[in-house]
Amino acid sequence: PSASRVANTLRAQLAYILINDHGVQLHPGPRSYARSWIRDGSMIGAALLRLHHPEQVRAFLEWYAPFQFANGKVPCCVDARGADPVPENDSHGELVYAVADYFRYTGDTAFLRAMWPHVTGAVAYMDSLRAQRLTDEYSAGAARAFRGLFPESISHEGYSAKPMHSYWDDLFGLRGYIDATYIATVLGHSSEARDYAAKRDAFRSDIMASYRASMAAHHIDFLPGSVELGDFDATSTTVGVAPVGELASLPDTALRRTFDKYWENSEKRRSGAVAWDAYTPYELRTVGTFVRLGEKQRALSMLDFFFQGQRPTAWRAWTAVVWPARATPKFIGDMPHSWVGSDYIRSVLDMFAYDRASDSALVVGAGVAKRWVREAPGLKVRCLGTPYGTIDFDIRARGDSVVAHIGGALRMPPGGIAFRSPVDGRISRARVDGRTVTPSSNGEVVVRQLPATIILTIGRTR
């Protein structure tokens, strides 16, 4: 019962995504945003895949992909007038990511083969973008921070007044190269797989070098949103952690400082220590990021704060912009907002289970609140979608014991299933199916066979 708002809001967001659909088109909203962006569509698609609606994702991609331009450029959005030619350089990687993500959840090789020309076209166009910043003028001096990146764009709406070199674009481009390599490997295109892997590694190196150069130029200790501004934008930086999956590659100290700073600012806003004007609920992405950073209590606190911004409360939905006073007569964007809803779905599902890119482990329980498992009947999850199939698990805590039953119709991830206790404290004893095991240094109990029963003793020895 203490998690009812979490579950009910999850169902509501899925309903609003489906309601806002326009035939095969995924729309982020019913009014102002009654058109399709690949940016929104890729994230909405990720939410739909985890909640067992792959047919919606496939139909959307089969409709959207043919709008790709002859040179491989993927349009940022499509409406009744056709494809929008405005350059937003995140779109190319997002299409490739969405295609690969659909395959990860369905194993639909025929679809992957049909999409292959769109994948190769998107990669060719990304190559042409990078080539513009690989000339001699970007090899030294202040211009070195731009080397190998995509050119300026307005994909980030904060840069609509003046295009910037946005790391948002580069991170999604990197995801595109990662997934193009994956798709080529699955389809047996070994030459392209080697070529794309080399480009992936070079781009990753250029992005990380650029981050360091921009931080030095602006004398900042956090990851900036763009090269030239050195701006603080944790909501944008989240994509580097998920869905791009570069937690292990991003400069760790700067990444953690970015979200420490975001947390500090959020605490002041939440407590009333500072006056705030408005916020966009895209910040819901930070909940999933905190989970992946091992900051569960921050994730739960932020979720509680965002619940206060639902408008109207009974709808369990968010507008595009939330003002402190509900009656503020200012712009709120669309309501319910499907892209915001997808941010909620992905972040909340990460609290229960997420695929960790660094070791291909499925992490279970990293964001589960202690109160959810101490209250009868405990936590029950059924048929949660993952890239490895569906997972089921129950968790219940009594006294100093935590008991978890894990099963489901899934193949074992390469890194196993890494279970984290929802009850804080040192694990003094861990057993899997009656056998004593040793938790990892970060407190995870790794399971490599299902079904499995995990019993943990917290906080004392026997």
Side-chain angles (χ1 to χ4, degrees), residues 51-74:
L51 295 176
H52 306 292
H53 288 271
E55 70 287 345
Q56 304 288 123
V57 181
R58 176 173 181 150
F60 169 71
L61 291 172
E62 288 177 334
W63 167 75
Y64 198 99
F67 288 101
Q68 188 174 22
F69 294 99
N71 62 356
K73 175 183 175 180
V74 177

Side-chain angles (χ1 to χ4, degrees), residues 176-199:
Y177 282 112
I178 291 169
D179 280 332
T181 304
Y182 169 69
I183 293 169
T185 302
V186 169
L187 295 179
H189 300 305
S190 55
S191 176
E192 288 89 345
R194 289 191 296 271
D195 179 45
Y196 294 167
K199 291 171 178 175

Side-chain angles (χ1 to χ4, degrees), residues 172-452:
F172 270 115
L174 178 57
R175 182 75 234 189
Y177 282 112
I178 291 169
D179 280 332
T181 304
Y182 169 69
I183 293 169
T185 302
V186 169
L187 295 179
H189 300 305
S190 55
S191 176
E192 288 89 345
R194 289 191 296 271
D195 179 45
Y196 294 167
K199 291 171 178 175
R200 171 201 66 199
D201 295 345
F203 196 23
R204 177 184 289 121
S205 179
D206 286 339
I207 292 170
M208 302 311 157
S210 176
Y211 267 130
R212 291 190 291 270
S214 181
M215 290 168 62
H218 294 287
H219 307 288
I220 55 177
D221 59 357
F222 55 84
L223 296 177
S226 66
V227 181
E228 49 267 76
L229 296 181
D231 47 328
F232 179 74
D233 188 358
T235 309
S236 173
T237 305
T238 54
V239 299
V241 177
V244 179
E246 291 296 306
L247 178 58
S249 300
L250 291 164
D252 185 69
T253 301
L255 176 67
R256 292 186 179 275
R257 177 57 193 141
T258 301
F259 289 96
D260 284 347
K261 183 179 174 70
Y262 171 78
W263 170 252
E264 292 160 6
N265 294 343
S266 298
E267 276 290 87
K268 293 175 183 176
R269 175 178 61 184
R270 205 157 64 100
S271 67
V274 297
W276 56 279
D277 186 34
Y279 72 85
T280 60
Y282 301 119
E283 288 186 37
L284 278 157
R285 295 178 208 135
T286 63
V287 172
T289 299
F290 279 130
V291 170
R292 290 171 183 256
L293 288 171
E295 298 281 0
K296 179 176 73 174
Q297 294 307 320
R298 290 183 177 183
L300 291 165
S301 294
M302 291 308 307
L303 196 58
D304 286 342
F305 171 76
F306 293 131
F307 279 145
Q308 296 171 26
Q310 290 182 326
R311 305 285 192 269
T313 302
W315 284 28
R316 303 188 180 101
W318 287 274
T319 55
V321 182
V322 173
W323 302 88
R326 291 175 180 264
T328 302
K330 292 185 178 180
F331 176 80
I332 63 169
D334 271 19
M335 178 185 71
H337 199 292
S338 297
W339 192 24
V340 169
S342 78
D343 286 330
Y344 175 84
I345 290 172
R346 291 181 295 105
S347 278
V348 163
L349 294 185
D350 280 355
M351 301 174 88
F352 300 103
Y354 70 87
D355 182 26
R356 184 165 58 199
S358 61
D359 61 355
S360 297
L362 187 66
V363 182
V364 171
V368 172
K370 177 174 64 177
R371 65 181 182 272
W372 301 345
V373 297
R374 286 208 178 277
E375 182 181 7
L379 174 69
K380 295 180 183 294
V381 173
R382 294 291 179 269
C383 293
L384 175 59
T386 81
Y388 308 102
T390 58
I391 189 169
D392 306 330
F393 55 91
D394 302 346
I395 311 174
R396 184 73 196 275
R398 292 187 180 93
D400 62 356
S401 294
V402 175
V403 180
H405 303 284
I406 305 177
L410 75 164
R411 63 189 184 279
M412 185 56 59
I417 294 174
F419 177 74
R420 291 190 190 172
S421 170
V423 178
D424 296 332
R426 181 179 59 85
I427 299 173
S428 59
R429 188 180 185 189
R431 286 174 289 168
V432 176
D433 295 332
R435 294 178 294 104
T436 298
V437 299
T438 302
S440 66
S441 58
N442 61 353
E444 294 177 349
V445 174
V446 179
V447 173
R448 297 191 180 275
Q449 188 172 353
L450 294 179

